[in-house]
Amino acid sequence: MQIADRIEQALDRAVALAQGPGAPPLLASALRYAVFPAGHRIRPQLCLAVAGACGDADPESADAAAAAIELLHCASLVHDDLPCFDDSALRRGKASVHAEYGAPLAVLTGDALIVHAFATLRPVAARDPSRMATLLGIVTEAVGSPGGIVAGQAWECEVAVPLADYQRAKTGALFVAATRAGAAAAGVDAEPWRMLGDKLGEAYQVADDLRDVLCDSDELGKPIGQDAVRLRPNAAAQLGVGGAKARLEDLVRAAVESIPDCPGAADLRMLIKAQTALFFPKQLAREAA
Amino acid sequence: MQIADRIEQALDRAVALAQGPGAPPLLASALRYAVFPAGHRIRPQLCLAVAGACGDADPESADAAAAAIELLHCASLVHDDLPCFDDSALRRGKASVHAEYGAPLAVLTGDALIVHAFATLRPVAARDPSRMATLLGIVTEAVGSPGGIVAGQAWECEVAVPLADYQRAKTGALFVAATRAGAAAAGVDAEPWRMLGDKLGEAYQVADDLRDVLCDSDELGKPIGQDAVRLRPNAAAQLGVGGAKARLEDLVRAAVESIPDCPGAADLRMLIKAQTALFFPKQLAREAA
């Protein structure tokens, strides 16, 4: 089965469980709305690509980890869009969850997605209990405090923000979880895969900053120019578009070079190059063509 | 060590981890504020009491389960108090988290508490991996959808609310998790302990309804008369104070009778009777004296 199909099926199973008999209808509807139709699914694709490069000895565990990571990403989007944060009415080209269902259900949808991300890992225990413990540790590190996405978002509530900590927590942590969890699910030591996630996370952040400056709202599926509005740090604003583009290329190169020895290393290197090319905003891609 | 000390120490360890080096200072502060000083800790006490009655073969796992359940309870209080839900400025006799830290940090504090509840279970894996999987299943059932506390809160966003489903999810589910997790942590079949949690959860809900009608705000540490304000079902309003008190007594009796055979059954029955006597609002306790 193709990676994309594995991801959608794993997410569908997780959401279907949460929509089980007796679920409040609006919550059940909002949960599916928050997860489907698919966004780019960059993190779960990365997770399964790493698992594949490592031999994919336990595809069911890899699918569970990939789904957990994407559910947590979706949860963070739903909560970040809330009126008390970005107050964003648009996400993935449609109304954000709070715009469609109201803020109370958006809070609860995010909460439920977090809970069900962890529930997704549970069947891994029947396959290999110690593997589930490893995955649980990788996921909680990527989402909690001090260094996960919740902490990353919390930096936006501080007056003084250490930029590297903020970006590593808000964006990098879940990329690191994706590469580490992919390796761990395949029964391989997760730690050597941290650098790949770290570099790709930073690359994605720089690309996101470029898109915020260069794209229009239709292309992006969410409001643009938000970093300037919110006085958030933006690599394109700091380094200029050319400088940010060079930084992005450096990060992709470092990511590719960091890939540990593994059966599928050559294929993974090609895949990372192809996927990260999609990070570049269309305008830059057109200029480069 | 006393049960109360075990609970506070386990919670302190969990919060300290989330406050680790590099944590955003306001989030770190809000996390501790949301968990300490202690509320009644009814759910973790119940969890450890059941574990004790079952022989407490693995106290560290019982402590982890008790802490996870209390962290999830604290998370639900923080989110329920948000302006978009109850907009409650008072909790446990002090300013609620959003009143003290603002709504954005209150959302993130709840999120982090959910994540760290699951993180708390991780060390159980090193002791007995299959036990962690059981506990993870018990906890996710009690918190997620369709029947956990997030679903319970989501019923408040619906027009038509099935009262039994609503109360079982919003209040009962975490009591059921407490009794089942206590048994599972002690290495005993969790399922026979479901009834005890179910009856105690319903008893607590009726007691809470009575307090909402009878107590003053100082005694309760949160605003009173909220059910009438919010048109929420209230057993005391439906059955009268006398009827609700009789229902509470029936539920406590059924709870005590449901306790499965176990080494500490007699002590547990006495403890449940003593603890549930504290459920009664002071005014009713005074009348009964």
Side-chain angles (χ1 to χ4, degrees):
Chain A
M1 201 190 302
Q2 294 292 309
I3 278 184
D5 294 331
R6 287 172 58 182
I7 293 167
E8 297 315 301
Q9 290 188 15
L11 289 169
D12 181 65
R13 284 194 298 274
V15 171
L17 267 180
Q19 293 181 305
L26 288 170
L27 177 66
S29 168
L31 283 168
R32 188 160 287 275
Y33 185 91
V35 179
F36 299 100
H40 297 300
R41 308 289 199 217
I42 293 174
R43 296 157 191 80
Q45 287 198 16
L46 180 59
C47 178
L48 292 191
V50 170
C54 294
D56 210 10
D58 179 3
E60 285 83 354
S61 291
D63 289 355
I69 287 167
E70 181 65 12
L71 291 172
L72 290 163
H73 175 59
C74 292
S76 79
L77 298 181
V78 173
H79 281 185
D80 287 3
D81 285 341
L82 281 170
C84 69
F85 291 110
D86 290 359
D87 196 14
S88 182
L90 197 63
R91 172 64 69 179
R92 291 177 171 170
K94 63 180 186 178
S96 61
V97 173
H98 79 87
E100 186 74 16
Y101 292 89
L105 272 167
V107 171
L108 296 171
T109 298
D111 292 354
L113 290 173
I114 299 173
V115 171
H116 286 276
F118 289 104
T120 302
L121 295 179
R122 196 186 159 218
V124 178
R127 314 179 60 75
D128 184 334
S130 72
R131 191 163 295 166
M132 185 182 70
T134 303
L135 291 174
L136 183 63
I138 288 170
V139 168
T140 53
E141 179 186 321
V143 190
S145 181
I149 50 176
V150 171
Q153 181 71 8
W155 277 117
E156 294 182 12
C157 304
E158 298 281 341
V159 175
V161 180
L163 184 56
D165 288 354
Y166 163 62
Q167 291 185 333
R168 181 159 286 141
K170 174 136 191 193
T171 309
L174 219 44
F175 279 85
V176 171
T179 55
R180 292 178 72 211
V188 169
D189 181 16
E191 217 38 45
W193 289 89
R194 183 183 287 272
M195 177 76 87
L196 175 62
D198 200 46
K199 295 297 176 194
L200 287 177
E202 198 177 342
Y204 186 79
Q205 180 65 53
V206 173
D208 204 49
D209 290 355
L210 276 164
R211 278 193 297 269
D212 187 68
V213 171
L214 293 175
C215 292
D216 61 34
S217 170
D218 282 349
E219 183 181 344
L220 205 51
K222 63 181 183 180
I224 58 155
Q226 292 299 300
D227 292 338
V229 171
R230 298 177 198 289
L231 302 175
R232 278 196 294 237
N234 180 302
Q238 287 179 341
L239 305 173
V241 169
K245 186 165 170 280
R247 176 88 186 119
L248 177 49
E249 288 164 346
D250 283 348
L251 286 164
V252 170
R253 196 174 306 117
V256 168
E257 285 170 4
S258 81
I259 293 173
D261 267 345
C262 61
D267 285 350
L268 184 61
R269 276 191 285 269
M270 283 176 56
L271 183 75
I272 297 285
K273 282 180 198 166
Q275 288 289 319
T276 50
L278 302 175
F279 284 11
F280 286 84
K282 282 185 191 158
Q283 186 179 330
L284 287 183
R286 280 194 296 270
E287 285 169 11
Chain B
M1 199 188 304
Q2 296 291 310
I3 276 183
D5 294 331
R6 286 172 59 181
I7 293 167
E8 298 314 300
Q9 291 188 15
L11 289 169
D12 181 66
R13 283 194 297 274
V15 171
L17 266 180
Q19 293 180 306
L26 288 170
L27 177 67
S29 168
L31 283 168
R32 189 160 287 276
Y33 184 92
V35 178
F36 300 100
H40 297 299
R41 308 289 199 217
I42 292 174
R43 296 156 192 80
Q45 287 197 17
L46 179 60
C47 179
L48 291 192
V50 169
C54 294
D56 210 9
D58 180 2
E60 285 82 357
S61 291
D63 290 355
I69 287 167
E70 182 65 11
L71 291 172
L72 290 163
H73 174 59
C74 291
S76 79
L77 297 181
V78 173
H79 280 184
D80 287 3
D81 285 341
L82 281 170
C84 68
F85 292 109
D86 290 359
D87 196 13
S88 182
L90 198 63
R91 172 63 70 178
R92 290 177 172 171
K94 64 179 187 179
S96 59
V97 173
H98 79 87
E100 186 73 15
Y101 291 89
L105 272 167
V107 172
L108 296 171
T109 298
D111 292 353
L113 290 172
I114 298 173
V115 172
H116 285 276
F118 290 103
T120 302
L121 295 179
R122 198 187 157 216
V124 177
R127 314 180 60 74
D128 184 333
S130 72
R131 190 163 296 164
M132 185 182 72
T134 304
L135 291 174
L136 183 63
I138 289 171
V139 168
T140 52
E141 179 185 320
V143 189
S145 180
I149 50 176
V150 171
Q153 182 71 8
W155 278 116
E156 294 183 11
C157 305
E158 297 281 340
V159 176
V161 180
L163 185 58
D165 288 354
Y166 164 61
Q167 291 185 334
R168 182 160 286 140
K170 173 137 192 193
T171 310
L174 219 45
F175 279 84
V176 170
T179 55
R180 292 177 73 210
V188 169
D189 181 16
E191 217 37 45
W193 290 88
R194 185 184 284 273
M195 177 77 86
L196 175 62
D198 199 46
K199 295 296 176 193
L200 287 177
E202 197 176 343
Y204 186 80
Q205 180 65 52
V206 173
D208 204 50
D209 290 355
L210 276 163
R211 279 194 296 270
D212 187 67
V213 171
L214 293 174
C215 291
D216 61 33
S217 169
D218 281 350
E219 183 181 344
L220 205 53
K222 63 181 181 180
I224 58 153
Q226 292 299 300
D227 292 339
V229 170
R230 297 175 198 289
L231 303 174
R232 278 197 293 238
N234 181 303
Q238 287 179 339
L239 307 172
V241 170
K245 186 166 170 280
R247 175 89 186 120
L248 177 49
E249 289 164 346
D250 284 348
L251 286 164
V252 170
R253 196 174 306 116
V256 168
E257 285 170 3
S258 80
I259 293 174
D261 268 345
C262 61
D267 285 351
L268 184 61
R269 277 191 285 269
M270 284 177 55
L271 184 75
I272 297 286
K273 282 180 197 167
Q275 287 290 319
T276 50
L278 301 175
F279 283 11
F280 287 83
K282 282 185 189 160
Q283 187 180 329
L284 287 182
R286 278 194 297 272
E287 284 169 10

